Amino acid sequence: LENYSEPFIIGTGEGGHWMIRAFPSEDKIKFSVYIGGTWHAAETTNEYDGAWHSLAAVYSRTDGQITLYKDGLLSQSTSIPTSSLYNHSSWDYVALGGGFGSNINGKLDELSIWNTALSQSEIQSYLTTSPTGSESGLIAYWNFNEGTGTTLTDQTANGNDGTIYGATWSTDVPGAVTYYVATDGSDDNDGSENSPFATIQAGIDAASNGDTVLVEAGTYVENINYNGKNIAVIGEDRETTIIDGSQNGGVVTFNSGEDSTTVLNRFTIQNGFKEGNEGSVFPDDYSGAGIFIGYNSHPKIMNCKIINNTSADEGGGIFINGSSPTLYNLEILNNYAPSFGGGLWCGGNDASSNNSPSNIVANNLLVSNNESETGAGIYIVQSIYQIDVITVNNNSSTSESA
């Protein structure tokens, strides 16, 4: 949005009783509902930064709350009466980009209306995957993909098509966003450069496909999961930017089909620990204490040190199962697995019926001082591999080759 007098983003028509509206004089965007003769609002900041942002407004009669999310993160939740919204005759249409005598000076894309209160996790999932149009509770969904004409087509079967007045089509669609993480940040921040998150996982959760998470030097005690996000997470320097698993599970996980645009770059990955116990899932809870790559995932792991990780079964440092990652300029040091591949284990997807092989490309690896029963440095089975420039030394096996 441009800084323009109180632009109306979306809401019921003239005189209607719910809306999302910008207030430039306050640097705010507000979601307002009219209940019991009173307007109630939840708000978020609006930076007018020229970037795309996602807004999700939720009205829950069950919880007695109205909530506004920005880019998948909670901005504000406000308690309200649990009665129904005011019933007004103008509810027979919804206005996008104009109303109350004020038109938006900006761009809109990907708008949907639901008759159910979405959870934050559901809202975050739609940041990366658009609705299909057939979801339960979805009343209307406009993806703005027509590119021409004066009709905005509802992608559901409900036929809530819109008519365009005065607006023009644009090819300026939502693009990549960079989020920032620093040890002195807060997960209540918005992840901008001047308001960074405190944890890498918060950056991942906020990001959408194609986005970047930049991590300032420091030690981050956490266990991160990309959760299917095809994003780049980049540290300042691998010697000074550390993800420490604190002996509490695996440090980094790729287990949701992440594609080859997914990147982990310039980190030390240390102190992962997987022990497995009753109820544990194999191989997820046993293998890959440093980095777990499974279930047809294809990330690039670059310029990292993977050190001092211990698994309960295979792949103390890195475990690759039925996946096709690229490994470049890695030091895999001082890791332990009791069975196979103290440093690195790579094999077919033995946890699924398709038994698909792994296919790895690796270059410039140092694999040293790792320990396991068999294949202490590297253990590869049922895999296609291309490995160039690799040093394997000082690894210790208690049974077969080191």
Side-chain angles (χ1 to χ4, degrees):
L1 296 178
E2 295 185 12
N3 196 336
Y4 185 71
S5 60
E6 300 191 3
F8 180 94
I9 301 172
I10 183 173
T12 50
E14 299 290 345
H17 288 79
W18 67 266
M19 61 181 174
I20 301 176
R21 191 172 182 180
F23 293 83
S25 63
E26 303 177 40
D27 288 332
K28 301 288 187 183
I29 292 177
K30 298 182 181 182
F31 169 46
S32 302
V33 299
Y34 190 73
I35 300 174
T38 303
W39 284 101
H40 303 265
E43 61 185 40
T44 186
T45 56
N46 186 19
E47 296 89 354
Y48 302 102
D49 55 7
W52 283 93
H53 293 282
S54 167
L55 294 174
V58 179
Y59 165 57
S60 173
R61 290 183 61 193
T62 302
D63 298 333
Q65 298 282 325
I66 57 171
T67 307
L68 188 60
Y69 298 90
K70 180 180 177 183
D71 298 326
L73 301 177
L74 174 65
S75 291
Q76 188 178 38
S77 188
T78 302
S79 297
I80 57 172
T82 56
S83 56
S84 297
L85 288 173
Y86 185 82
N87 187 15
H88 194 279
S89 60
S90 66
W91 273 57
D92 58 357
Y93 73 93
V94 170
L96 310 179
F100 292 91
S102 177
N103 297 325
I104 193 173
N105 190 13
K107 300 178 177 69
L108 299 175
D109 199 8
E110 292 281 329
L111 287 170
S112 59
I113 298 177
W114 304 71
N115 66 5
T116 184
L118 298 184
S119 66
Q120 184 174 13
S121 62
E122 289 172 321
I123 289 167
Q124 290 174 343
S125 72
Y126 288 119
L127 293 177
T128 55
T129 304
S130 298
T132 63
S134 60
E135 287 82 357
S136 176
L138 183 60
I139 295 175
Y141 166 51
W142 305 280
N143 61 15
F144 291 77
N145 288 348
E146 291 84 356
T148 186
T150 59
T151 299
L152 191 61
T153 304
D154 180 12
Q155 302 302 307
T156 75
N158 298 322
N160 292 310
D161 296 344
T163 302
I164 299 171
Y165 298 96
T168 58
W169 293 99
S170 172
T171 57
D172 179 11
V173 298
V177 177
T178 298
Y179 293 94
Y180 296 84
V181 179
T183 55
D184 60 354
S186 168
D187 285 351
D188 292 328
N189 290 343
D190 62 9
S192 61
E193 186 170 9
N194 295 323
S195 186
F197 294 124
T199 64
I200 299 168
Q201 190 63 55
I204 293 172
D205 292 344
S208 301
N209 289 343
D211 290 349
T212 298
V213 178
L214 295 181
V215 183
E216 185 178 282
T219 298
Y220 299 84
V221 180
E222 55 182 306
N223 311 85
I224 67 172
N225 190 321
Y226 275 60
N227 291 319
K229 303 283 187 74
N230 302 316
I231 60 176
V233 180
I234 302 173
E236 185 173 328
D237 181 274
R238 74 175 183 180
E239 301 296 335
T240 58
T241 315
I242 301 165
I243 310 177
D244 190 313
S246 189
Q247 302 292 308
N248 185 32
V251 185
V252 181
T253 300
F254 303 91
N255 64 356
S256 300
E258 293 84 1
D259 69 19
S260 60
T261 65
T262 305
V263 174
L264 179 72
N265 189 9
R266 299 204 297 256
F267 288 95
T268 290
I269 310 299
Q270 68 181 33
N271 291 332
F273 181 76
K274 290 187 175 182
E275 57 182 340
N277 49 49
E278 185 177 353
S280 294
V281 176
F282 181 84
D284 307 52
D285 299 328
Y286 291 86
S287 303
I291 301 176
F292 180 99
I293 306 172
Y295 303 100
N296 201 33
S297 299
H298 315 301
K300 293 182 177 71
I301 314 299
M302 308 166 61
N303 306 306
C304 289
K305 296 175 69 174
I306 299 94
I307 63 174
N308 299 326
N309 301 284
T310 299
S311 76
D313 191 47
E314 302 163 331
I318 302 176
F319 177 83
I320 303 166
N321 190 31
S323 297
S324 302
T326 297
L327 311 178
Y328 174 74
N329 193 27
L330 305 182
E331 294 184 8
I332 306 172
L333 312 173
N334 304 314
N335 302 284
Y336 172 76
S339 298
F340 305 98
L344 183 152
W345 185 97
C346 179
N349 192 358
D350 53 7
S352 69
S353 58
N354 62 20
N355 212 30
S356 59
S358 289
N359 187 341
I360 66 168
V361 175
N363 187 22
N364 195 23
L365 305 186
L366 171 62
V367 184
S368 183
N369 294 314
N370 301 285
E371 184 180 352
S372 70
E373 180 182 28
T374 301
I378 299 175
Y379 186 94
I380 299 177
V381 62
Q382 195 182 359
S383 299
I384 302 167
Y385 56 91
Q386 175 184 329
I387 300 178
D388 299 308
V389 189
I390 181 171
T391 299
V392 182
N393 61 26
N394 298 322
N395 299 284
S396 175
S397 289
T398 58
S399 178
E400 301 178 28
S401 61

